[in-house]
Amino acid sequence: ETGVTQSPTHLIKTRGQQVTLRCSSQSGHNTVSWYQQALGQGPQFIFQYYREEENGRGNFPPRFSGLQFPNYSSELNVNALELDDSALYLCASSLDLLAGGLETQYFGPGTRLLVL
Amino acid sequence: DQQVKQNSPSLSVQEGRISILNCDYTNSMFDYFLWYKKYPAEGPTFLISISSIKDKNEDGRFTVFLNKSAKHLSLHIVPSQPGDSAVYFCAALGGNNDMRFGAGTRLTVKP
């Protein structure tokens, strides 16, 4: 068990709505990354937060936004949902990646989002 | 653009034999490679990694080989065990903390 938790586990939304997904990091981890995993594909990097600041972003539009809180928990917000946003959303917490913390990236179980 | 590719969606091997999972990449700027294992309803878990300055890294039954000139890496599991049955993802890291994953290979180890 990694200690990374995500809520909710499943969610159904309709096109055009907004959604907020939550992630609670492993104790002691100050970096959180969010990934989108579509069916049959590998996880795709959305963005990373380090000490409450965005620290890298993948090829996702601005309607994907995030927050990291002082306790290093995090939120992923998606506005104006589209059908293609249906996917498993994974968060991963880690120690500072720049300090060689790659191997300490622990993934949560994910939130499965269905957009109708 | 799929910069990391796992061309075999599935692989089936007999218990005790070797499992070889392959991964190809296109971006020569990647300098760190990782393998993750994923069971159903769980997030991926780190398995083994290799830096681009090495060509081999071993950890127990798991060995990762890197061929930079061919932009190819492979994960060898020997001997394979039924508990190794899972989806295996290779991932590559370059700049911008952007970790690129392959689509995964589902390994089934038959008793």
Side-chain angles (χ1 to χ4, degrees), chain A residues 67-79:
Chain A
L67 279 175
Q68 188 180 30
F69 300 100
N71 66 355
Y72 302 134
S73 65
S74 175
E75 285 182 356
L76 164 66
N77 299 291
V78 187
N79 292 324

Side-chain angles (χ1 to χ4, degrees), chain A residues 23 26 30 40 42-44 46-47 53-55 69 79 81 94 101:
Chain A
C23 173
Q26 176 101 350
N30 57 23
Q44 274 196 283
I46 303 174
F47 44 56
E53 297 283 336
E54 190 176 290
N55 188 43
F69 300 100
N79 292 324
L81 282 166
S94 58

Side-chain angles (χ1 to χ4, degrees), chain B residues 18-82:
Chain B
I18 185 170
S19 297
I20 300 176
L21 297 101
N22 294 303
C23 180
D24 297 291
Y25 62 96
T26 57
N27 189 341
S28 58
M29 298 302 291
F30 289 142
D31 56 9
Y32 203 86
F33 303 89
L34 307 92
W35 284 93
Y36 286 85
K37 176 177 174 180
K38 186 180 186 302
Y39 292 117
E42 295 182 13
T45 55
F46 169 78
L47 195 57
I48 193 169
S49 63
I50 189 166
S51 163
S52 60
I53 62 172
K54 294 186 175 182
D55 55 16
K56 177 183 175 181
N57 188 25
E58 192 171 353
D59 183 3
R61 297 185 297 114
F62 303 91
T63 304
V64 56
F65 295 92
L66 175 63
N67 182 333
K68 282 186 66 178
S69 60
K71 296 191 178 69
H72 177 84
L73 64 156
S74 60
L75 174 68
H76 293 210
I77 307 173
V78 56
S80 302
Q81 299 173 354

Side-chain angles (χ1 to χ4, degrees), chain A residues 5-20:
Chain A
T5 59
Q6 291 186 243
S7 62
T9 55
H10 296 82
L11 198 54
I12 299 176
K13 290 284 188 178
T14 56
R15 195 169 48 182
Q17 285 188 310
Q18 179 266 344
V19 69
T20 297

Side-chain angles (χ1 to χ4, degrees), chain A residues 2 35 37 40-43 45 48 55-58 88 90 97-98 102-103 105 107-109, chain B residues 32 34 36 38 41-46 49 57 89 93 96-104:
Chain A
T2 68
Y35 296 85
Q37 186 180 5
Q41 297 182 22
F45 175 70
Q48 181 186 89
N55 188 43
R57 190 179 180 94
L88 179 69
L90 296 162
L97 293 185
L98 298 176
L102 287 166
E103 296 178 13
Q105 182 169 231
F107 282 83
Chain B
Y32 203 86
L34 307 92
Y36 286 85
K38 186 180 186 302
E42 295 182 13
T45 55
F46 169 78
S49 63
N57 188 25
F89 293 99
L93 191 70
N96 201 36
N97 297 319
D98 184 347
M99 188 173 287
R100 300 289 181 119
F101 284 80

